Amino acid sequence: MERVDLGEVPYEVARADMAGWVAERKQGRTGDRLFLLTHPPVITYTARTPAGQLPEPASPISLVEVDRGGHATYHGPGQLIGYLVLNVRELGPRGLIRRIEHALIRALGSLGFDAIRRDTPRGAESLVGVWTTDHRKIASIGMRISDGVTSHGFALNVAPDLDVYTMFTACALPGVRMTSLAQLAAELGRPTPTES
């Protein structure tokens, strides 16, 4: 898989670019790619997200409806965003999400942070993502698959402003505790890893 580092990209620009990346992959003009970037502050949500889980209309942070799975989430400075554009016909969607969770868990482990994935109880909101062992969420995952090609991806909290998560219901999980590598590092008395 090719890694492409983009730096900071406005969300709407990245969304338009993503449509082009997906088209290129569907046409076989490129191989599988992972795009790593950050966004200026934005809260994205899906058509399934209840209005009561979104910020107040006077919120200073832009709201953008998107076509991925999941519900509302935040993207902003201090996060590492990974957009995966790859063919999943052989792997299957469930396998893909599990692989992303396990890859992030291994990456965090290599930095000295324990992380886990959680199974979703029947009838509950999805617990897809990466969590600390005390059930704070550190990475969110939301994907779309079209004609066997993925788009969107994951958001790993490195050192974002966690107060943003008090403005809305993240991932349709009322009371979810979001955390970051910065917060975990401070608790362990260690320096925060960088986004690169």
Side-chain angles (χ1 to χ4, degrees):
M1 179 182 309
E2 179 186 2
R3 170 178 162 167
V4 182
D5 294 295
L6 298 176
E8 184 176 274
V9 180
Y11 187 82
E12 293 290 10
V13 172
R15 183 160 72 165
D17 289 345
M18 195 178 335
W21 305 331
V22 168
E24 290 172 346
R25 186 66 187 98
K26 286 179 179 179
Q27 295 160 8
R29 293 189 287 135
T30 63
D32 294 338
R33 293 184 285 181
L34 169 62
F35 296 87
L36 296 174
L37 62 153
T38 62
H39 290 310
V42 61
I43 293 172
T44 63
Y45 66 98
T46 66
R48 299 179 332 136
T49 305
Q53 294 185 359
L54 297 174
E56 296 294 323
S59 167
I61 298 178
S62 299
L63 280 174
V64 178
E65 185 174 343
V66 295
D67 61 356
R68 58 164 170 75
H71 286 281
T73 195
Y74 171 72
H75 297 310
Q79 274 188 337
L80 178 63
I81 308 297
Y83 290 137
L84 288 150
V85 179
L86 51 93
N87 189 306
V88 294
R89 291 199 188 276
E90 294 178 10
L91 180 62
R94 287 183 61 88
L96 171 68
I97 297 299
R98 295 296 172 260
R99 285 189 181 197
I100 295 169
E101 288 173 327
H102 287 296
L104 289 168
I105 290 166
R106 283 192 304 274
L108 293 176
S110 73
L111 297 172
F113 298 97
D114 292 332
I116 61 171
R117 62 168 301 278
R118 296 173 66 190
D119 290 321
T120 303
R122 183 178 296 274
E125 285 295 342
S126 175
L127 296 179
V128 163
V130 177
W131 304 76
T132 60
T133 55
D134 65 353
H135 293 181
R136 290 178 286 171
K137 194 169 191 181
I138 192 161
S140 299
I141 299 170
M143 305 287 297
R144 173 181 168 82
I145 299 175
S146 170
D147 296 328
V149 174
T150 65
S151 57
H152 299 280
F154 65 84
L156 173 64
N157 289 341
V158 178
D161 176 6
L162 294 175
D163 288 340
V164 170
Y165 291 102
T166 65
M167 299 171 57
F168 71 103
T169 302
C171 308
L173 297 169
V176 67
R177 295 179 301 153
M178 301 298 292
T179 192
S180 65
L181 291 181
Q183 188 174 65
L184 298 178
E187 291 169 5
L188 296 170
R190 295 172 19 200
T192 301
T194 63
E195 293 171 27
S196 57

